[in-house]
Amino acid sequence: MIRVLNIIDTMGSGGVERRRLSMAKLLDQSKFELKIICTNVVGPFPDAIRKQGVEVIAIGDLNSFLDYKQHQKVMKIIDEFQPHIIHGAVFEGVTMAAINGFLKRIPIIILEETSDPQNRKWKGNLLMKLLSFTADKVVGVSPAATDYLKNKLQLPSDKILLITNGVAIPEKTPKSVVENLKEKYQISPDEIVIGSVGRMSSDSHKRFSDLIRAFAILIKKQHKVKLILVGDGHQKVSYMQLVTELQIQEHVIFAGYQNEISDYYAVFDIFCLVSAYEAFGLVLAEAMFHKLPVVATRVGGMQYIVTENKTGFLVDTFDVKSIAEKLAILCLDSDLRALFGNNGFDKAMLNYTEERYVKDVEKLYLELVQKKTL
């Protein structure tokens, strides 16, 4: 039995947590025993992972790179679990995995670059490079991430591995659920629904403000349209104020955080994500599984997920006018929406399933174990 210790930051509802749930569900339990350390737990994902028989241990915040008390907690868990593989993701998880894996002489150390670190300061880049020296492999979740590892950090090519993210294929949402949501939000049958999903914690990241301003332009030309924003965070208040300032309150819906997010994708006709940076853009893959045409910014992993003029449109960051123009094209052309949606579904099925992701991770684990001859 190969024991794998995953270490991540706060376990909430993001992409890293979803991939750990996929691993808990789909890793071959006859070969692997999985345990997860995180700093904190929020929401339903920890319980969902525990239901798969995987222990989740929250140890509290890593307050600094050399937080001795937190490293002691990790070392104690290592002593008890005796992992063959330690796999760190997100900066805090990478730090704890690299340091403690090295000190405790864990046979295999895997680090994972899960962000689009274009704004990472030189100290952060230097630390990531130093930590990577301890690793057998450094995984990038998108070509943008592996480019960063190769060109910015200048890691050896044989140490870098691309494993693109994967998501669960959604079950079909009952028609009655869609109808109930449209009734709840007073969406008429002839209205086009534009949707977006994400945390509202930093506008410098997700740029919902750009989408709202683009929608305000669109609404002047196309009145039969609504915008649904799914997500929560302290930035939500400022977004609501912006909507009021632009006098588009009747057309914008703040749905808040949703556990059953698939139901909302089923209501959308178009999906839009205009982040300033994004390592992958997991919600784009989710939208494509729902056969939605996509408008996204040409950044990070998103520029690889969206195939221009085939599954959707790519726009430059902060280009509000261009966002509005591309949304208008899709609003006015139902055939194009269907074409992009079907193409996106085919691409997602080929590249972005959780089964494919876990298969790639399992292959990596087994290859490294064989190489180390544990």
Side-chain angles (χ1 to χ4, degrees):
M1 183 71 72
I2 301 167
R3 294 182 294 276
V4 182
L5 179 62
N6 267 258
I7 309 182
I8 63 174
D9 190 19
T10 295
M11 182 176 286
S13 59
V16 175
E17 299 92 312
R18 295 181 187 209
R19 292 194 299 279
R20 269 57 199 171
L21 177 57
S22 296
M23 290 167 65
K25 291 191 301 182
L26 300 175
L27 266 182
D28 187 341
Q29 294 185 4
S30 69
K31 297 177 182 176
F32 298 96
E33 181 181 357
L34 185 64
K35 191 186 294 284
I36 301 174
I37 295 174
C38 60
T39 53
N40 300 286
V41 292
V42 180
F45 269 79
D47 286 339
I49 290 174
R50 290 180 180 123
K51 286 180 180 177
Q52 300 299 322
V54 174
E55 186 178 7
V56 177
I57 306 170
I59 63 171
D61 291 330
L62 182 71
N63 295 312
S64 70
F65 169 63
L66 296 175
D67 189 337
Y68 181 66
K69 289 184 178 179
Q70 296 305 89
H71 288 305
Q72 272 191 317
K73 293 177 184 178
V74 175
M75 285 191 279
K76 182 180 179 182
I77 295 167
I78 288 174
D79 288 340
E80 294 170 351
F81 187 50
Q82 291 292 306
H84 302 100
I85 299 171
I86 192 165
H87 184 165
V90 190
F91 208 71
E92 291 80 359
V94 164
T95 300
M96 289 187 282
I99 291 176
N100 295 289
F102 176 76
L103 292 176
K104 285 293 182 178
R105 299 184 181 277
I106 304 303
I108 297 167
I109 300 173
I110 298 169
L111 306 181
E112 189 172 336
E113 180 55 76
T114 59
S115 64
D116 182 13
Q118 57 179 274
N119 296 319
R120 186 176 288 167
K121 296 180 180 179
W122 70 268
K123 289 182 180 178
N125 290 325
L126 178 59
L127 179 57
M128 184 65 186
K129 184 169 184 175
L130 291 173
L131 294 173
S132 296
F133 284 127
T134 70
D136 294 274
K137 285 289 182 181
V138 183
V139 173
V141 300
S142 71
T146 54
D147 285 348
Y148 162 78
L149 296 171
K150 180 180 179 180
N151 299 319
K152 187 71 175 180
L153 299 191
Q154 296 184 325
L155 300 183
S157 296
D158 61 355
K159 182 171 279 197
I160 301 168
L161 180 66
L162 172 65
I163 300 182
T164 53
N165 288 340
V167 300
I169 300 172
E171 295 181 3
K172 187 173 178 61
T173 302
K175 186 177 180 181
S176 59
V177 173
V178 176
E179 291 173 348
N180 288 339
L181 281 174
K182 288 192 173 185
E183 183 179 353
K184 175 182 177 180
Y185 294 120
Q186 299 180 335
I187 300 170
S188 61
D190 59 344
E191 282 185 304
I192 301 296
V193 180
I194 299 166
S196 193
V197 177
R199 295 172 181 166
M200 298 181 178
S201 55
S202 171
D203 193 50
S204 63
H205 180 197
K206 296 296 183 181
R207 298 301 299 178
F208 284 113
S209 61
D210 290 341
L211 175 54
I212 291 168
R213 288 190 173 92
F215 183 76
I217 296 172
L218 178 68
I219 204 71
K220 293 177 182 177
K221 301 177 181 179
Q222 171 63 265
H223 295 290
K224 294 291 186 179
V225 64
K226 274 193 166 66
L227 174 65
I228 299 181
L229 302 176
V230 180
D232 216 338
H234 64 267
Q235 196 71 31
K236 180 179 174 181
V237 174
S238 66
Y239 293 143
M240 295 177 77
Q241 290 173 345
L242 177 59
V243 166
T244 301
E245 290 170 10
L246 295 170
Q247 299 182 344
I248 55 175
Q249 305 96 303
E250 294 181 6
H251 305 279
V252 180
I253 297 160
F254 288 91
Y257 175 81
Q258 298 293 330
N259 283 331
E260 297 299 329
I261 198 168
S262 287
D263 296 347
Y264 283 80
Y265 283 115
V267 173
F268 301 160
D269 297 294
I270 301 166
F271 189 81
C272 187
L273 186 68
V274 291
S275 305
Y277 56 93
E278 204 76 54
F280 186 76
L282 207 65
V283 292
L284 295 184
E286 291 177 342
M288 288 159 65
F289 275 119
H290 285 85
K291 297 189 176 183
L292 293 174
V294 171
V295 176
T297 35
R298 192 180 285 104
V299 297
M302 299 202 296
Q303 61 191 309
Y304 302 99
I305 296 175
V306 178
T307 304
E308 181 76 273
N309 293 317
K310 187 173 181 180
T311 69
F313 294 122
L314 290 167
V315 297
D316 292 332
T317 50
F318 319 120
D319 191 344
V320 171
K321 182 180 178 182
S322 183
I323 297 167
E325 289 173 350
K326 298 304 184 184
L327 289 173
I329 292 171
L330 290 171
C331 283
L332 294 170
D333 194 334
S334 60
D335 290 338
L336 186 62
R337 293 199 302 271
L339 176 63
F340 282 2
N342 287 324
N343 289 341
F345 177 80
D346 291 342
K347 183 174 182 179
M349 285 295 293
L350 183 64
N351 297 288
Y352 304 129
T353 65
E354 64 176 356
E355 287 82 5
R356 192 237 80 232
Y357 170 77
V358 174
K359 183 178 179 181
D360 287 351
V361 171
E362 185 170 311
K363 179 183 177 184
L364 171 62
Y365 287 171
L366 292 173
E367 285 179 351
L368 290 175
V369 166
Q370 186 176 22
K371 184 178 179 181
K372 293 279 183 171
T373 60
L374 299 181

